[in-house]
Amino acid sequence: MFSKFNSIPTHMDYKGQKLAEQIFQGIVLVSAVIGFVYGLIIEQFGWTVYIVLAGFAISCVLTLPPWPMYRRSPLAWQPALPESPVEAAPKPESLKKKKHK
Amino acid sequence: MNTALSRANSLFAFSLSVMAALTFGCFITTAFKDRRVPVNVHVSRVMLKNVDDFTGPRERSDLEYATKSNSLNQVVLWDKIVLRGENPNLVLRDMKSKYFFFDDGNGLRANKNITLTLSWNVVPNAGILPLVSGNGFVSLPFPETYETTKSY
């Protein structure tokens, strides 16, 4: 059952991860401040908890799925080399040359 | 942070830490409030009966009087729960005592000084539980004899 979940791609690139962390920290902190002030005014701590939970839900939606804004600066990988047995032979020869010197 | 699970873990832990800080803030803003209020207590009729105690060992006999063995005793006679939203100004008439006067040494009959006070707990969302005493009380002596049931 879990193989289906594992096959869904959820990666972000490095700058995307940093952006996601800043976004959710900002949203949770702002909702905490708003919730605390509102709870203090109406003297019920339950509303503070509800507002923080709402901030948590919003940041869940914004940062858990890999939105395109988190994939804007991907790493430039080298092109893949074709797999062939010719590649394996030159390597031991170059090592032998260095040892002789 | 490269998988959704790791992001979810980080987000949840951060939210929990923020919630703990907010609870501490709630404690700081509510625990130091002065909650004493003036209280009017009156006694209309005192009737003292000697009742056999079948309920077992009596640890909680704390009525405010002096016996030979204890200098101060207190007993809880009555209580009420007030929920949030109900009128906190209590106006109660003709209340009878809810609990028995447990006595730790037969000191209630002909006792000179019985003091009735009202005190209450305020239950907080976060923090210490204060016991607040009201600013009024009534003091009265108890009758000399027990009431006897008349038999016809």
Side-chain angles (χ1 to χ4, degrees):
Chain A
M1 184 181 71
F2 287 112
S3 59
K4 269 197 180 173
F5 287 121
N6 284 338
S7 63
I8 303 174
T10 58
H11 62 273
M12 302 172 171
D13 54 31
Y14 190 70
K15 287 209 184 336
Q17 292 172 22
K18 176 179 167 190
L19 179 65
E21 182 162 352
Q22 286 172 341
I23 284 180
F24 82 66
Q25 282 177 348
I27 289 181
V28 169
L29 280 178
V30 164
S31 71
V33 169
I34 293 177
F36 189 72
V37 170
Y38 186 64
L40 194 62
I41 289 174
I42 65 170
E43 290 185 342
Q44 286 186 26
F45 190 62
W47 276 96
T48 300
V49 178
Y50 293 147
I51 292 177
V52 172
L53 285 180
F56 174 78
I58 292 176
S59 52
C60 263
V61 169
L62 273 183
T63 62
L64 288 185
W67 300 113
M69 64 178 167
Y70 302 125
R71 290 183 176 176
R72 282 213 213 109
S73 47
L75 291 173
W77 297 106
Q78 294 288 332
L81 290 174
E83 292 279 319
S84 63
V86 184
E87 299 293 328
K91 280 186 187 175
E93 287 183 12
S94 59
L95 281 175
K96 281 182 186 170
K97 281 181 186 173
K98 283 181 184 174
K99 277 182 185 174
H100 281 310
K101 286 180 184 173
Chain B
M1 301 282 286
N2 48 347
T3 56
L5 210 55
S6 137
R7 286 195 292 273
N9 180 25
S10 180
L11 169 61
F12 181 68
F14 183 70
S15 301
L16 217 54
S17 304
V18 164
M19 205 63 236
L22 286 183
T23 307
F24 180 72
C26 175
F27 159 66
I28 287 289
T29 52
T30 56
F32 303 111
K33 196 171 182 266
D34 186 15
R35 300 185 188 274
R36 285 181 301 219
V37 168
V39 152
N40 261 339
V41 187
H42 298 283
V43 174
S44 57
R45 188 168 67 113
V46 179
M47 212 170 53
L48 188 62
K49 286 187 197 165
N50 197 4
V51 176
D52 282 329
D53 179 23
F54 301 115
T55 59
R58 325 155 234 160
E59 286 114 13
R60 311 203 293 140
S61 336
D62 37 2
L63 161 75
E64 284 200 37
Y65 62 94
T67 57
K68 288 202 197 79
S69 50
N70 312 319
S71 60
L72 178 70
N73 301 272
Q74 287 181 335
V75 171
V76 174
L77 288 180
W78 171 91
D79 59 13
K80 177 179 164 61
I81 294 179
V82 179
L83 296 175
R84 184 207 294 266
E86 293 175 3
N87 185 13
N89 290 328
L90 299 176
V91 179
L92 304 156
R93 298 188 166 279
D94 291 334
M95 304 297 293
K96 303 189 195 50
S97 58
K98 248 172 147 185
Y99 305 112
F100 285 124
F101 253 52
F102 284 121
D103 182 14
D104 198 21
N106 282 339
L108 287 183
R109 180 166 61 107
N111 197 296
K112 297 287 184 313
N113 177 21
I114 310 286
T115 305
L116 292 163
T117 55
L118 179 72
S119 47
W120 58 92
N121 289 119
V122 181
V123 180
N125 264 327
I128 51 179
L129 183 74
L131 179 67
V132 190
S133 292
N135 284 338
F137 63 94
V138 65
S139 223
L140 59 126
F142 260 359
E144 304 283 324
T145 53
Y146 292 126
E147 300 276 333
T148 49
T149 53
K150 299 185 170 59
S151 56
Y152 295 90

